[in-house]
């Protein structure tokens, strides 16, 4: 690709700059400061240039260094539209139809499409390189072939195709990575697996927002015939050229009949003939313009239908990608619900075990209290009976065991334990 350097256009602040320079030259101490401030003024107020790739309708491409003012003047675009293409800002995917251009911002493809050229923001991204090479190859292939698809539709179609392929590839890659992790998480719940699922879920939500925005943008275009008509730049260009030629033709006719020499006498018959001819010419121009406008409107409807079919094809692709992401999100939610159920089941089992252990501890405490009472340093009358202490221990243990069994039966009857 050949490179072309376009001069940078700066705003008209030469007088202020010269006065600032003269004041700086008055003092040797402030000379360097004045130069630095002058450079800062140029950086802040000047329109910085960017590298763009220019592709014409024949498939030839070249690299240009253009500033915003040049692009705005050439494509008749406001500054807010160019802000959508600025890589320093993060904007969602957008397709805007203007009077002489289509502003396309789809993922890494940021370009301006006119009726006979495409201006793509230069980037080292693989998608931009592929867009340039593929568009040039397609335009060179159809150069000698008859094709009724306009140039701007062909460039827009390739941008949609590469964007849908990029997003669908990322969706498939995410599916291949996340499904094994989810299956492993259901079998063994660990902190490492939970952290991996959390990270993949963040990627899933971000990718879903990007796919959703592209889908909504295509759907919005399909739902509005006026927006689709704005995208047909070739027809608008032909209408403008036809109107301009008709206007020039009418002016030439009117000037030809209107110029009369002052020295020559004016004949009524001649003036009548001239007015009749002028009226006939004017009516013929009006009829041709009406016929051209009717043909243009009918052709516009046909091309809008073709554009709708083109958008619908890629709408199906991007909607399929969105359906995959939604299914993947539902699978993640189902896995989280299953994990929560498993954790709740384990928690319930721990609570049941804790309840049984607490009951056993309570009864053991009663047994220990009885034995502690009889182990105090005093001489009760019952100790005079032989084997009395053994019977006390036996009776206390049996009572504690019966109480424990009664407690278990009560919990089972209330369906608190599943024993």
């Amino acid at each position: 690709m050949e490179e072309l350097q376009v001069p940078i256009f700066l705003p008209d602040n030469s007088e202020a700059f010269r006065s600032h320079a003269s004041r700086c030259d008055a003092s040797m101490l402030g000379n360097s400061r004045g130069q630095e401030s002058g450079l800062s003024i140029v950086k802040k107020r000047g329109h910085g240039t960017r590298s763009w790739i220019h592709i014409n309708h024949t498939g030839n491409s070249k690299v240009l260094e253009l500033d915003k003012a040049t692009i705005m003047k050439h494509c008749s675009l406001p500054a807010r539209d160019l802000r959508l293409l600025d890589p320093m800002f993060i904007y969602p995917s957008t397709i805007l139809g203007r009077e002489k251009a289509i502003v396309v911002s789809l993922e890494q493809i940021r370009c301006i499409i006119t009726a006979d050229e495409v201006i793509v923001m230069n980037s080292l991204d693989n998608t931009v390189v592929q867009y340039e090479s593929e568009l040039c190859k397609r335009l060179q292939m159809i150069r000698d072939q008859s094709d009724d698809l306009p140039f701007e539709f062909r460039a827009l179609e390739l941008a949609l195709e590469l964007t849908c392929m990029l997003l669908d590839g990322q969706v498939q890659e995410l599916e291949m990575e996340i499904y094994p992790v989810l299956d492993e998480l259901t079998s063994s719940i660990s902190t490492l697996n939970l952290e991996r699922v959390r990270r993949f879920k963040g990627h899933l939500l971000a990718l879903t927002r990007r796919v959703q925005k592209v889908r909504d943008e295509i759907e919005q275009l399909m739902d509005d015939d006026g927006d689709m008509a704005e995208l047909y730049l070739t027809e608008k260009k032909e209408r403008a050229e036809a109107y301009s030629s008709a206007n020039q033709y009418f002016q030439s006719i009117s000037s030809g009949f209107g110029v009369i020499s002052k020295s020559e006498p004016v004949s009524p018959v001649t003036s009548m003939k001239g007015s009749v001819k002028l009226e006939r010419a004017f009516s013929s121009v009006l009829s041709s313009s009406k016929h051209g406008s009717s043909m243009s409107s009918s052709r516009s409807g046909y091309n809008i239908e073709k554009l709708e079919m083109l958008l619908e094809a890629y709408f199906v692709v991007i909607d399929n990608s969105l359906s995959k992401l939604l299914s993947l999100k539902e699978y993640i939610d189902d896995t989280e619900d299953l994990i929560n159920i498993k954790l709740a089941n384990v928690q319930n089992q721990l609570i049941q075990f804790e309840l049984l252990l607490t009951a056993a501890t309570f009864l053991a405490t009663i047994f220990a209290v009885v034995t502690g009472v009889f182990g105090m340093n005093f001489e009760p009358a019952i100790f005079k009976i032989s084997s009395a202490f053994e019977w006390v221990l036996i009776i206390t243990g049996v009572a504690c065991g019966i109480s424990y069994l009664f407690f278990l039966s009560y919990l089972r009857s209330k369906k608190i334990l599943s024993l």
Side-chain angles (χ1 to χ4, degrees):
M1 294 186 296
E2 50 180 312
E3 295 190 357
L4 180 63
Q5 298 291 332
V6 179
I8 303 175
F9 293 94
L10 294 177
D12 191 10
N13 56 356
S14 58
E15 295 181 0
F17 190 79
R18 285 196 298 269
S19 62
H20 177 72
S22 63
R23 288 194 302 267
C24 291
D25 291 338
S27 174
M28 295 298 294
L29 181 61
N31 192 15
S32 60
R33 296 179 181 176
Q35 292 178 355
E36 292 178 359
S37 61
L39 291 176
S40 64
I41 290 174
V42 173
K43 291 180 181 179
K44 291 180 180 179
R45 299 182 182 178
H47 298 281
T49 60
R50 292 187 181 276
S51 179
W52 299 81
I53 302 174
H54 177 269
I55 305 173
N56 58 12
H57 64 281
T58 59
N60 298 323
S61 64
K62 56 185 176 181
V63 178
L64 303 176
E65 294 291 334
L66 301 174
D67 59 350
K68 287 186 177 181
T70 304
I71 298 177
M72 290 166 57
K73 183 178 179 180
H74 179 70
C75 302
S76 300
L77 292 175
R80 61 178 179 273
D81 290 345
L82 293 183
R83 196 158 49 243
L84 297 174
L85 305 179
D86 197 338
M88 300 299 295
F89 300 96
I90 300 177
Y91 288 100
S93 298
T94 308
I95 301 175
L96 297 177
R98 295 296 185 243
E99 182 63 27
K100 295 183 180 180
I102 302 174
V103 181
V104 178
S105 177
L106 295 174
E107 294 298 317
Q108 301 299 325
I109 301 177
R110 302 167 184 263
C111 62
I112 302 172
I113 303 174
T114 62
D116 51 6
E117 63 183 359
V118 179
I119 304 175
V120 188
M121 181 167 289
N122 195 4
S123 175
L124 298 178
D125 189 80
N126 187 30
T127 307
V128 178
V129 177
Q130 187 177 1
Y131 179 80
E132 177 195 0
S133 60
E134 187 66 23
L135 182 59
C136 293
K137 183 168 63 176
R138 292 186 183 184
L139 292 176
Q140 291 173 0
M141 288 177 59
I142 65 171
R143 183 186 303 176
D144 301 330
Q145 300 177 2
S146 59
D147 189 12
D148 56 348
L149 192 65
F151 172 81
E152 62 271 16
F153 288 178
R154 199 167 285 280
L156 180 61
E157 179 186 12
L158 182 59
L160 290 173
E161 179 182 348
L162 293 180
T163 302
C164 293
M165 289 175 56
L166 174 66
L167 294 176
D168 189 66
Q170 293 181 2
V171 170
Q172 293 180 2
E173 182 180 356
L174 187 61
E175 283 182 334
M176 294 176 60
E177 291 179 353
I178 201 169
Y179 276 121
V181 176
L182 292 175
D183 295 338
E184 183 180 357
L185 182 61
T186 54
S187 59
S188 62
I189 302 174
S190 62
T191 306
L192 178 61
N193 291 334
L194 289 174
E195 180 63 26
R196 293 172 64 187
V197 171
R198 186 193 64 82
R199 186 174 64 254
F200 283 134
K201 190 174 182 180
H203 295 167
L204 173 64
L205 294 178
L207 185 59
T208 303
R209 285 195 296 268
R210 292 163 54 195
V211 174
Q212 182 71 47
K213 182 55 183 176
V214 176
R215 179 188 178 278
D216 293 342
E217 193 67 27
I218 298 176
E219 186 178 12
Q220 183 179 358
L221 286 175
M222 293 172 58
D223 292 340
D224 195 339
D225 293 342
D227 291 342
M228 287 191 291
E230 287 291 330
L231 300 182
Y232 194 76
L233 304 178
T234 302
E235 181 178 352
K236 291 191 289 186
K237 183 179 179 181
E238 291 175 355
R239 285 181 180 179
E241 292 176 353
Y243 178 77
S244 177
S245 61
N247 191 18
Q248 292 178 0
Y249 179 69
F250 174 71
Q251 289 179 357
S252 64
I253 293 177
S254 61
S255 62
F257 284 99
V259 176
I260 301 175
S261 176
K262 293 182 179 180
S263 61
E264 295 180 357
V266 179
S267 174
V269 178
T270 307
S271 62
M272 288 294 294
K273 290 182 179 180
S275 62
V276 170
K277 290 181 179 180
L278 180 60
E279 184 179 356
R280 289 179 180 177
F282 183 68
S283 63
S284 64
V285 170
L286 287 179
S287 63
S288 63
S289 63
K290 290 181 180 178
H291 177 69
S293 63
S294 63
M295 291 290 292
S296 177
S297 62
S298 63
R299 186 176 58 183
S300 173
Y302 175 70
N303 281 314
I304 286 176
E305 183 179 354
K306 291 176 59 179
L307 177 60
E308 186 176 4
M309 294 174 61
L310 186 148
L311 293 175
E312 186 177 358
Y314 293 102
F315 177 79
V316 172
V317 176
I318 201 68
D319 187 68
N320 185 29
S321 300
L322 183 61
S323 300
K324 292 180 181 178
L325 291 175
L326 294 179
S327 301
L328 187 58
K329 185 177 182 301
E330 291 179 358
Y331 191 80
I332 292 177
D333 294 338
D334 294 340
T335 305
E336 290 180 351
D337 294 339
L338 178 60
I339 292 173
N340 291 331
I341 291 173
K342 286 186 175 182
L343 293 177
N345 186 26
V346 172
Q347 185 178 6
N348 291 334
Q349 292 178 358
L350 292 175
I351 292 173
Q352 292 176 4
F353 178 76
E354 183 181 2
L355 185 62
L356 296 176
L357 186 61
T358 303
T361 305
F362 175 72
L363 296 176
T365 304
I366 295 176
F367 184 81
V369 168
V370 173
T371 57
V373 168
F374 282 94
M376 299 178 104
N377 190 13
F378 63 93
E379 295 181 0
I382 195 174
F383 281 171
K384 297 178 180 180
I385 303 173
S386 60
S387 67
F389 185 69
E390 287 80 2
W391 281 105
V392 170
L393 295 178
I394 293 172
I395 294 172
T396 304
V398 171
C400 290
I402 294 173
S403 300
Y404 189 72
L405 294 176
F406 177 76
F407 180 73
L408 292 180
S409 63
Y410 174 77
L411 294 178
R412 291 188 61 183
S413 64
K414 296 296 183 179
K415 297 182 179 179
I416 299 177
L417 293 179
S418 58
L419 297 176

